Amino acid sequence: MTIHTMKQTSFEPPAIGEWRKAAEASLKGKPLASLETRTPEGIILKPLYTANDIPEGQEERLNAIRGGTGRADWTLLQETPETEPAAYLEKTKSALSRGNGAVVYTGGWEKEADSKVLDELSALITEVPVYIRCSPDDPFLSVFGRVPDDRRSLVTGYADVERTADLSRRFPTLRTIAVDTGSVHMKGADAVTELASALSTAAEIAAEEDDFGALAKKLFFTFDVDTHFFTEVAKLRAFRLLFKSFSVAYGEQEPAHAPVLARTSLRTFTLADPYVNLLRSGNEAFAAAIGGADAIMVAPLDSLTGSTGFSERVARNVQHILKEEAHADRVLDPAGGSYYIESLTESLYRGAWELFLQFEEQGGLTALAADGTLDRLLAEKKEARIRSLAARKESLIGTNIYADPEEQVQPASRAVEPKGRFAEPFEALRSALHGSTVHLIRIGTLKTVKPVADFAAGVLAVGGIRPELSPLFDTAEEALGYLQSEKPRYAILCAPGDQAEQSVRTVLEGKPAATILDAAGRFADGTAASLREAGLNGFHYRGQDILDKLTEVKGILEGGTQR
């Protein structure tokens, strides 16, 4: 076929009915609904979206999102962790020369800086934006006192400091009223709860001000971005719609631009296999860029144990790649018009607005926090995410799946470890069990038993347990002889499905009394109950809660008894 012929070739547009028939045929009897998934926010995601899924008011929605976003580019806010002021200055200048977009300070100075350092930094913040997040008595704030009166209007950026620091009055172009959802994020909030919390916090601030228009010019919002890529893109887009509606409620039909600062989430970071954190933060930064963030902060891959110059440079380069190679800074709202993203954005917008109104009816976020309602809500959401990880409905690579049992997980630095990471219960088990071994009793040919044994070994690896593979046995009687010889405290019998039940029964009849035996694989309920009555402790199967199972294994290996 020539190029000319190809250009002249056309296809009939596919009908949704044709797709449905093809999908149902491929499912081999399963309902089409089996392709649907539910997000932590309770939103049902369909396997296919069409133009019919675009909510009404598309043009108005796009105008609000794109008008609220303002520009395609964003500012790099790479943190500069350093406790010594002079060293901080040098690292900051180095970072700026390598593409960082602002002077970034998030606390850490252990002493006052000398005059030379303060003067250099005060001159620097009149040339590039500044981002600070610290207490009102932090020694870094002395930098602002060194800025001459006639140059204060040149200081731009963001200051997340208590109002007692009085930066707002002295620096008119500096954003000084921060709404940071990081605390609810780390406690387990989903996207809807984060958005509603941001609005509720802003409402409490607005209640203390006389002029919402003036307040809006000082506001900025900070969101942590999770690994749920499309949800996080839609979350930032939904915020633009929410702030528009929020502002209209205060009488501002055309609100001032509200900057959104995006921070890659530390709740998804792991101590195990830390280089996977780079993939997570890269995914999150990309979502923030596509979602229209005004500034992005990328956590170094080893943030939990203390970052290095290398990891800080790599984190900064994540954003350079997004700009220079992916060109994510050249298109305003690239997700706009996507049937899926538009539907998801609308769902988050409506869900967050409804939850915000519920918060307000109950007295606002502060009242909910005071009586414990907020913490209970967040604890439920966090537990649901952890259970989803425990059942492997979600993945933390290197932690709840594809773990390396030989890896010695490094302890977190007390100075930087955030509370609320999803990996914490997995890491606690792994630390307690690391170095343990468990016998896997293999019956059948390598081809038939390997998938079963590999699955069991993978579950054990999550707990840092090394599998002790038995020889391949042709019969259950041979496996029984091995057990009687080795007399392990605990073992898992692995056999292909057609041999599994009878193999388990044979081994149970003659196994050493002190050996606690599990079987790998899922059995029918009646069969499972019968095997338990015959002396089997339990099972390892896909979809079970591996945290519960490994906790049970921990008790056995530490000298406890089976259930």
Side-chain angles (χ1 to χ4, degrees):
M1 180 181 289
T2 65
I3 292 294
H4 176 74
T5 305
M6 291 173 64
K7 288 181 177 181
Q8 300 304 313
T9 301
S10 62
F11 300 91
E12 289 294 325
I16 187 68
E18 295 174 9
W19 174 85
R20 192 179 299 277
K21 289 180 181 178
E24 289 174 343
S26 69
L27 290 172
K28 298 179 180 178
K30 292 183 181 179
L32 198 58
S34 65
L35 296 177
E36 296 176 346
T37 57
R38 181 183 292 271
T39 73
E41 297 77 19
I43 299 169
I44 301 298
L45 301 181
K46 302 189 299 183
L48 180 68
Y49 286 81
T50 69
N52 294 330
D53 294 297
I54 294 284
E56 293 183 5
Q58 170 72 342
E59 184 175 350
E60 182 181 354
R61 181 173 49 257
L62 287 177
N63 287 339
I65 292 171
R66 292 169 181 175
T69 304
R71 65 191 185 108
D73 199 2
W74 69 89
T75 303
L76 275 71
L77 298 183
Q78 189 59 47
E79 292 188 62
T80 307
E82 181 55 60
T83 59
E84 206 284 314
Y88 168 83
L89 173 61
E90 293 308 311
K91 288 181 71 172
T92 295
K93 291 193 293 186
S94 175
L96 289 169
S97 70
R98 287 166 169 78
N100 210 22
V103 173
V104 181
Y105 178 78
T106 53
W109 278 12
E110 296 178 347
K111 62 180 181 179
E112 297 281 349
D114 59 35
S115 296
K116 181 180 178 183
V117 170
L118 292 175
D119 287 340
E120 282 199 54
L121 282 171
S122 65
L124 204 54
I125 65 174
T126 64
E127 298 169 3
V128 298
V130 62
Y131 171 78
I132 60 170
R133 187 176 71 251
C134 63
S135 63
D137 59 352
D138 195 286
F140 182 87
L141 295 179
S142 300
V143 170
F144 290 92
R146 295 298 184 109
V147 179
D149 291 350
D150 60 348
R151 294 183 64 80
R152 287 180 177 176
S153 62
L154 300 177
V155 178
T156 62
Y158 314 96
D160 187 352
V161 187
E162 290 182 18
R163 297 194 199 182
T164 54
D166 197 27
L167 293 174
S168 181
R169 180 181 60 81
R170 292 183 291 148
F171 297 90
T173 54
L174 185 66
R175 296 264 179 174
T176 54
I177 303 178
V179 176
D180 191 333
T181 61
S183 60
V184 295
H185 175 86
M186 290 304 297
K187 288 181 179 180
D190 56 26
V192 164
T193 309
E194 287 181 52
L195 291 168
S197 299
L199 292 187
S200 188
T201 302
E204 292 181 353
I205 295 171
E208 301 174 359
E209 302 290 332
D210 296 326
D211 186 346
F212 181 82
L215 166 66
K217 294 177 182 178
K218 290 291 184 179
L219 270 175
F220 67 97
F221 294 79
T222 303
F223 292 98
D224 290 76
V225 179
D226 204 334
T227 51
H228 291 172
F229 182 83
F230 293 110
T231 298
E232 295 301 317
V233 171
K235 179 176 80 176
L236 299 189
R237 297 181 81 246
F239 172 76
R240 304 298 184 182
L241 297 174
L242 288 164
F243 190 72
K244 170 84 173 189
S245 298
F246 182 80
S247 300
V248 168
Y250 282 90
E252 291 288 328
Q253 299 300 320
E254 297 298 331
H257 171 68
V260 170
L261 279 56
R263 186 170 51 210
T264 59
S265 172
L266 286 181
R267 77 181 183 185
T268 63
F269 267 37
T270 62
L271 291 167
D273 201 354
Y275 282 93
V276 183
N277 291 331
L278 177 59
L279 302 180
R280 297 184 184 109
S281 60
N283 168 75
E284 294 161 357
F286 191 27
I290 298 299
D294 294 273
I296 300 176
M297 294 166 266
V298 176
L301 63 95
D302 53 0
S303 294
L304 302 180
T305 53
S307 61
T308 63
F310 168 76
S311 63
E312 291 162 15
R313 178 170 64 86
V314 170
R316 185 171 59 244
N317 286 347
V318 165
Q319 299 197 56
H320 290 322
I321 290 171
L322 291 176
K323 290 190 176 198
E324 303 301 326
E325 297 189 23
H327 303 306
D329 61 337
R330 300 189 184 186
V331 181
L332 180 66
D333 188 30
S338 160
Y339 304 151
Y340 171 39
I341 297 295
E342 293 294 359
S343 176
L344 188 53
T345 298
E346 184 74 3
S347 296
L348 293 178
Y349 164 69
R350 293 189 178 279
W353 187 260
E354 181 179 344
L355 185 59
F356 162 59
L357 295 180
Q358 291 177 18
F359 284 173
E360 294 307 289
E361 288 175 0
Q362 298 174 68
L365 207 63
T366 299
L368 291 170
D371 67 11
T373 301
L374 182 62
D375 280 346
R376 287 192 293 272
L377 171 66
L378 298 177
E380 289 175 4
K381 292 183 178 296
K382 179 182 176 182
E383 182 64 16
R385 284 292 297 274
I386 290 176
R387 289 304 123 193
S388 180
L389 289 163
R392 288 178 165 175
K393 295 177 181 177
E394 296 185 57
S395 297
L396 279 177
I397 303 300
T399 297
N400 77 330
I401 194 168
Y402 304 132
D404 178 4
E406 304 294 339
E407 179 188 8
Q408 182 69 54
V409 178
Q410 298 300 311
S413 168
R414 292 183 179 180
V416 298
E417 183 186 17
K419 297 298 181 183
R421 292 183 303 108
F422 295 142
E424 287 172 359
F426 297 92
E427 292 166 354
L429 274 173
R430 188 160 172 169
S431 296
L433 291 170
H434 185 265
S436 303
T437 59
V438 165
H439 286 258
L440 297 188
I441 312 303
R442 302 182 298 167
I443 302 173
T445 65
L446 180 61
K447 180 179 179 180
T448 58
V449 77
K450 188 176 188 302
V452 183
D454 284 353
F455 171 77
V459 173
L460 296 174
V462 171
I465 302 170
R466 182 172 57 82
E468 188 74 35
L469 299 178
S470 76
L472 289 169
F473 300 115
D474 292 327
T475 66
E477 287 77 13
E478 293 176 356
L480 182 57
Y482 176 83
L483 271 179
Q484 292 170 341
S485 171
E486 296 292 326
K487 295 183 174 60
R489 169 71 181 165
Y490 171 70
I492 303 173
L493 191 147
C494 304
D498 58 349
Q499 296 177 245
E501 180 184 352
Q502 188 55 50
S503 296
V504 172
R505 293 190 185 282
T506 299
V507 171
L508 286 174
E509 289 174 0
K511 75 174 182 66
T515 296
I516 297 172
L517 188 69
D518 273 346
R522 184 185 289 273
F523 295 77
D525 291 345
T527 302
S530 174
L531 291 174
R532 283 185 181 276
E533 289 177 4
L536 188 69
N537 175 67
F539 306 90
H540 289 259
Y541 57 88
R542 297 186 189 280
Q544 76 179 143
D545 189 312
I546 61 174
L547 276 179
D548 283 352
K549 189 62 189 179
L550 287 171
T551 300
E552 179 189 344
V553 172
K554 177 176 178 289
I556 294 171
L557 295 180
E558 290 177 348
T561 58
Q562 67 264 50
R563 291 181 178 177

